[in-house]
Amino acid sequence: MASSAKTPALDKPNPAEDWTVVLSRRGKHKRNFHKVIIHERQKQEQLWTPADIETNPERESKLMQKIQTCIKKLESSSFWLKLLDQLQTPEIFDRFLKALGSEGKMQMVIYGIGSIESYEPPRLQLSLAILMKRMFSWIGEVEVFDPVISLAESRVLTALGCSVLTVNEQGRRQALKPTMFFMPHCDAELYENLLEENWRHDLLSNMTLFGNSFEAYEQHVSECKILRLADSRKHILAIRQFVKELPIDSRKHIVAIRQFVKERSIDPFSDDLFRAFHGSSWHFFDIDPHSDLCDAKP
């Protein structure tokens, strides 16, 4: 997928390129079909500018203060400390190192963050990404996109060290290098687009993903037994056999969330914390180079 155009560029205290076209080897008709699909995707990919272009220093300063306050609250919470412990366990940290390979940095791409000016859960999600960037020196450039981002939000994100994309990739970013896709509570369509665009073992192996539980999607499809629903989640369902999923909603994190709620029982921030992260998981893709991903599709 095209890398993206962006506005200006977080370190541990301690766009547009051409599409990469993977053609089928099953004949000319199939090749032409793929070309048509990619042409349609190119038409969909358009330069983006904020719909809300009203801003002023006071508005930006107020938003920056909200985010800095949110970062401090999250950093002092038992939830962050428990999550930090999880990230540094061999089970997870070794998988990050494997995805990094010989590269020194892993870029972070944040899709679907929502309005960080209007709502606390998006501010919490952004705060988590910023805290991770500060804690782990191997996390590189942070890129952010949501079509609802305002000009004021874009400027504040830039001031925080992020790059705001100027192209709506619709999740179709090829992981040509180690990439962490940070996508809590995104629509299933975005995960589908991302997986479809990276449906090769070498691309999937470059990816780690923080977002909605793929296991939960599978359970939901199984319970509903609606063919149309299964078809709209086909890449999510097919990748399950190749994914190591580690939920943050394990028992100890549920306890941490409850403790956080208890600590700040009169502060609605605690409810926002739950809304921001419940049901989220880390996804690591362990793909054998000899695996036939075409056969894996349902």
Side-chain angles (χ1 to χ4, degrees):
M1 157 84 183
S3 136
S4 39
K6 45 190 181 265
T7 58
L10 286 170
D11 190 4
K12 180 179 181 180
N14 66 346
E17 297 172 358
D18 294 331
W19 289 85
T20 299
V21 183
V22 183
L23 301 178
S24 168
R25 289 175 286 188
R26 298 183 180 178
K28 182 177 180 181
H29 175 75
K30 192 72 172 179
R31 288 197 297 272
N32 290 338
F33 175 71
H34 276 277
K35 289 178 182 177
V36 169
I37 289 177
I38 290 173
H39 176 66
E40 289 301 314
R41 289 179 191 161
Q42 287 173 328
K43 288 198 301 183
Q44 291 174 11
E45 187 180 66
Q46 299 175 353
L47 287 177
W48 168 88
T49 55
D52 179 359
I53 59 173
E54 294 185 10
T55 189
N56 56 64
E58 182 181 0
R59 180 178 175 181
E60 293 172 20
S61 176
K62 184 177 179 181
L63 176 54
M64 178 64 81
Q65 185 176 10
K66 282 184 179 180
I67 293 173
Q68 296 293 358
T69 299
C70 191
I71 292 172
K72 289 178 181 178
K73 285 185 177 181
L74 184 60
E75 189 173 22
S76 65
S77 72
S78 54
F79 173 79
W80 162 248
L81 296 177
K82 293 289 186 182
L83 182 61
L84 188 57
D85 285 344
Q86 184 194 37
L87 290 173
Q88 295 179 100
T89 60
E91 185 177 24
I92 287 187
F93 194 72
D94 289 352
R95 293 179 186 277
F96 279 124
L97 292 179
K98 183 176 181 181
L100 270 170
S102 60
E103 299 285 337
K105 298 284 185 178
M106 176 181 291
Q107 67 176 342
M108 179 188 289
V109 178
I110 304 176
Y111 286 138
I113 190 68
S115 173
I116 58 173
E117 184 174 26
S118 302
Y119 303 105
E120 188 77 347
R123 288 194 287 271
L124 280 164
Q125 292 168 359
L126 176 65
S127 296
L128 178 60
I130 290 173
L131 286 174
M132 289 178 59
K133 164 70 176 175
R134 291 176 179 177
M135 181 58 62
F136 299 109
S137 60
W138 47 267
I139 295 180
E141 183 179 21
V142 178
E143 297 180 314
V144 184
F145 184 79
D146 193 298
V148 306
I149 290 175
S150 67
L151 179 58
E153 290 171 323
S154 178
R155 289 184 174 177
V156 170
L157 285 164
T158 299
L160 287 165
C162 303
S163 299
V164 179
L165 306 183
T166 60
V167 170
N168 185 352
E169 300 176 339
Q170 301 186 41
R172 295 188 178 278
R173 166 81 69 96
Q174 281 194 343
L176 300 174
K177 56 184 178 180
T179 307
M180 179 192 301
F181 291 96
F182 190 92
M183 303 171 61
H185 298 179
C186 284
D187 290 339
E189 182 182 2
L190 274 182
Y191 300 114
E192 272 292 308
N193 289 351
L194 179 65
L195 291 172
E196 183 180 24
E197 197 61 36
N198 289 279
W199 205 251
R200 287 180 5 209
H201 71 84
D202 57 323
L203 298 178
L204 288 167
S205 296
N206 280 336
M207 290 172 46
T208 62
L209 187 149
F210 178 67
N212 297 354
S213 167
F214 286 2
E215 181 180 7
Y217 279 124
E218 185 179 54
Q219 291 174 350
H220 181 62
V221 169
S222 177
E223 292 169 1
C224 291
K225 302 187 187 318
I226 300 175
L227 183 60
R228 184 175 67 256
L229 181 62
D231 188 60
S232 69
R233 309 285 190 270
K234 59 186 179 183
H235 290 87
I236 294 174
L237 299 178
I239 203 63
R240 284 277 294 127
Q241 62 183 298
F242 302 111
V243 170
K244 176 64 175 179
E245 179 174 333
L246 297 167
I248 68 163
D249 290 1
S250 63
R251 180 176 178 82
K252 64 181 180 180
H253 288 94
I254 291 173
V255 170
I257 289 175
R258 287 175 178 168
Q259 178 62 29
F260 191 82
V261 171
K262 183 178 179 181
E263 290 169 1
R264 305 173 187 270
S265 57
I266 61 172
D267 190 344
F269 179 84
S270 56
D271 294 329
D272 291 326
L273 179 77
F274 181 78
R275 287 196 292 270
F277 300 117
H278 77 91
S280 298
S281 294
W282 294 100
H283 301 79
F284 299 93
F285 302 85
D286 190 10
I287 314 294
D288 187 323
H290 303 293
S291 300
D292 192 340
L293 290 172
C294 290
D295 290 344
K297 289 187 183 181

